[in-house]
Amino acid sequence: MLAIIAGGCEKGPQSTPVAGIKLDKYQLTITEGDKATLTATVLPDNATNKNVSWTSSNEKVATVSNTGEVTAVAPGKATITVTAEDGAKTTKCEVTIEKRIYQVETITLDQTSLEIVEGDKATLTATVKPDNATYKGIIWSSSDEKVATIKDGEITAVAPGTATITAKAEKDDRSALCVVTVSKRVYPVESVSLDKTSLELTEGDKTTLTATVLPENASNKNVAWTSSDEKVATVSANGEVTAVAPGKAAITVTTEDGVKTAKCEVTVNKRIYPVESVFLDKTSLELTEGDKATLTATVLPDNATNKNVSWSSSDEKVATVSANGEVTAVAPGKAAITVTTEDGAKTAKCEVTINKRIYPVESVSLDKTSLELTEGDKATLTATVLPNNATNKNVSWSSSDEKVATVSTTGEVTAVAPGKAAITVTTEDGAKTAKCELTVKAKTIHVESITLNKTELRLERLDRYTLTATVKPDNATNKEVKWTSSDETIVSIFMGNGNLWAHNAGTAIITATTVDGGLTATCKVTVKELGAVDVTGISLNKSTTTLFIGSKETLTATIKPSNATDKTVTWDSSDPAVASVNNGEVTAIKAGKAIITATAKDGGYTATCEVNVSDQSPEIKIDKDNYTVAYTGETINLNITANVNYSITAKDKWIKVKGDSLIISANNSTKERTGAATISNSEYGISLTVMVKQEASPNGFDNGNPIATPQSNK
């Protein structure tokens, strides 16, 4: 297997690569306009190239200089990223910019006093200083809302009186005042009108006229009443009119304010004689629909003053009556014709019976004179009987050959078998007929589906194979199938009927299409070179891994068998926002979980690795970095806390490493000795040193016997 080593040219032995970057702050909050400096530490300390660059994710919020100085531009959030020139290692600081608050110093009003009439409005304008004050909102209030109200600087005069309007800053006690004086509004009379402009009375009668003074809120609504002729009609102070004698008079109303006037013309009539009864010349009447007859009404007494009458029908769908008593027969049935006197509402009735008029059928026709159906199908014929008002429109239906087609009582034709038949409609009245010549064709069974015996197929170059298409239903009328290839340079179809010929390596889609309905089925055909070795599987060097934001790790995919012809692998991340992948190199972007999938091009085999991205910083901690021991063979427990892998190495041979502990070997010296061990992670440039001191043995060998009080931290 060919291995590709990323990272450029190999450095000389004297060059130490950058393993990571630390920041003195990973979160920073400052006020807009302020500055702060971030300090980046390149790891390890002996890295050859410690040059870094700085960037901001949003320079409209915060900018950063090439020395790490952050300038707050505007409120918001931005991410400051420092990147090592060597190895492109990064780390980030989340910066929050808070808004700068500018206090209100003064509030002034454009008016300090104001006179206004009730119902009117006026606007006050408040000016806040300085112009850049952060909170320039104004809270308005009135000392007496029964006199004047205020909303958003607009004053509304409610009632006469005095009120003080206050404009106060929304965030402090700064305020300004305006004294508002509201005076009473005088509403003059604009017009007067009467509820009646003309009036007819009988001598001796009384009625009251109503005057309406406008506007409704006029201050003085007092009026006076006069009659142009009190011998005809008089009027009281409240508008009551009394009819004195026959004749005409004008009743005038006059407003006290403005002398506005309105008149009502009064006609006084002589007293009339009431109607006592009414009767008709007929109390019953029989007509045929469409006929007419006139009823005569007699009003009593003969000297009745008002002999006007009105006519009505109890059912105008049966019979109508005109204003002069003419009755029109509309439809069969019964109705009562009533005459009613205008004076006294006296009534008389005539019972009217309307008989049906007989209209014979003249002809019948069909909406279709010829019709073509497929066996099993149905269609409805519509018969039209003329004239439209024919009394009996009942019809019957028949078929000349019910082995070919039948017809229902409603004209629904059912095609039974191929052939010809005549459908006849016949009227019940007059035996009028009409025919429709029907042709019934044999039924076509349409294709419902098509399937292939293979949906995927692998061939070698020059191979031949025959695909089989199955068309359903089995009794489909037209089962013809057409075959096509998406790339005939790879796979062609010869002699039709699904015969395939593989020409060149690649992939082609073979499509079988039914002539009836255009239904399709496909088979994906992959052609390989002669002797090509197929991929049987794929695996990754890791099934799970944990990364920190900004870190990277390269996954290695292994194709099986090792001699597979096509070892092409594609990479994909289930969540690129958490972790992205490029040719196996995984980059941690934000905290979360993502599944990295490697897919073999040949065969589509897959392998996955679960990547967990932590939002913590890589860290190794120890509770103590200095130990003093007295015994040979004594064990020092280092008590290590870490969120990354680490290794422990001893710089001195007399210090042995076992797990997370150090073991002290025999001291053959009479002198005190010191040594060290290192706890480190090279990937993130973390290195901690633990110092160890063992006290001297007077005889050169302590033989496991105590020579001093133990001081180790166990």
Side-chain angles (χ1 to χ4, degrees), residues 471-551:
V471 176
K472 293 290 185 179
D474 294 336
N475 62 341
T477 304
N478 184 2
K479 299 175 75 172
E480 184 181 353
V481 174
K482 292 185 176 181
W483 298 81
T484 58
S485 170
S486 64
D487 191 340
E488 297 222 349
T489 64
I490 296 173
V491 181
S492 65
I493 299 168
F494 67 98
M495 298 176 64
N497 297 324
N499 295 305
L500 310 182
W501 192 352
H503 299 291
N504 294 294
T507 301
I509 303 300
I510 304 301
T511 302
T513 306
T514 63
V515 174
D516 177 22
L519 304 178
T520 62
T522 61
C523 176
K524 178 182 177 182
V525 181
T526 302
V527 180
K528 296 182 176 292
E529 291 291 343
L530 292 171
V533 178
D534 293 338
V535 172
T536 61
I538 185 173
S539 62
L540 292 176
N541 60 320
K542 287 187 176 182
S543 61
T544 181
T545 188
T546 300
L547 299 177
F548 297 95
I549 295 174
S551 64

Side-chain angles (χ1 to χ4, degrees), residues 30 40 42 47 72 101 116 129 133 164 176 212 241 264 288 322 373 378 393 411 415 418 437 502 629 658 665:
I30 55 178
V42 177
I101 305 300
I116 189 171
K129 293 291 183 178
T164 300
T212 302
V241 179
C264 175
T288 300
S322 71
L373 296 176
K378 295 185 178 186
K393 289 188 173 185
E437 298 295 335
V629 298
K658 185 177 181 181
S665 59

Side-chain angles (χ1 to χ4, degrees), residues 186-193 212-223 253-261:
V186 177
Y187 298 93
V189 172
E190 296 176 1
S191 67
V192 64
S193 62
T212 302
V213 179
L214 294 177
E216 291 183 357
N217 60 348
S219 301
N220 182 2
K221 288 189 172 184
N222 294 333
V223 297
V253 64
T254 304
T255 64
E256 188 176 290
D257 177 20
V259 197
K260 308 294 182 179
T261 62

Side-chain angles (χ1 to χ4, degrees), residues 3 22 69 91 122 133 163 220 350 372 506 532 553 638 677:
K22 288 185 177 180
E69 184 182 66
T91 192
N220 182 2
C350 176
E372 190 174 278
E553 183 175 346
L638 296 177

Side-chain angles (χ1 to χ4, degrees), residues 127-150:
T127 303
V128 178
K129 293 291 183 178
D131 293 336
N132 65 342
T134 303
Y135 300 105
K136 302 178 74 173
I138 301 296
I139 300 172
W140 298 88
S141 63
S142 170
S143 65
D144 190 349
E145 292 196 338
K146 294 180 179 179
V147 174
T149 62
I150 182 88

Side-chain angles (χ1 to χ4, degrees), residues 194-234:
L194 291 172
D195 59 330
K196 298 182 182 70
T197 58
S198 65
L199 185 61
E200 192 168 318
L201 298 175
T202 301
E203 56 186 340
D205 289 348
K206 295 184 178 184
T207 190
T208 299
L209 294 174
T210 301
T212 302
V213 179
L214 294 177
E216 291 183 357
N217 60 348
S219 301
N220 182 2
K221 288 189 172 184
N222 294 333
V223 297
W225 297 85
T226 59
S227 170
S228 65
D229 191 346
E230 292 195 339
K231 293 180 179 180
V232 174
T234 61

Side-chain angles (χ1 to χ4, degrees), residues 450-482:
I450 182 173
T451 57
L452 296 178
N453 62 318
K454 296 278 189 181
T455 57
E456 289 192 16
L457 183 63
R458 299 166 74 88
L459 300 175
E460 286 189 347
R461 190 168 62 85
L462 302 181
D463 278 354
R464 296 188 182 188
Y465 185 86
T466 299
L467 286 174
T468 302
T470 301
V471 176
K472 293 290 185 179
D474 294 336
N475 62 341
T477 304
N478 184 2
K479 299 175 75 172
E480 184 181 353
V481 174
K482 292 185 176 181

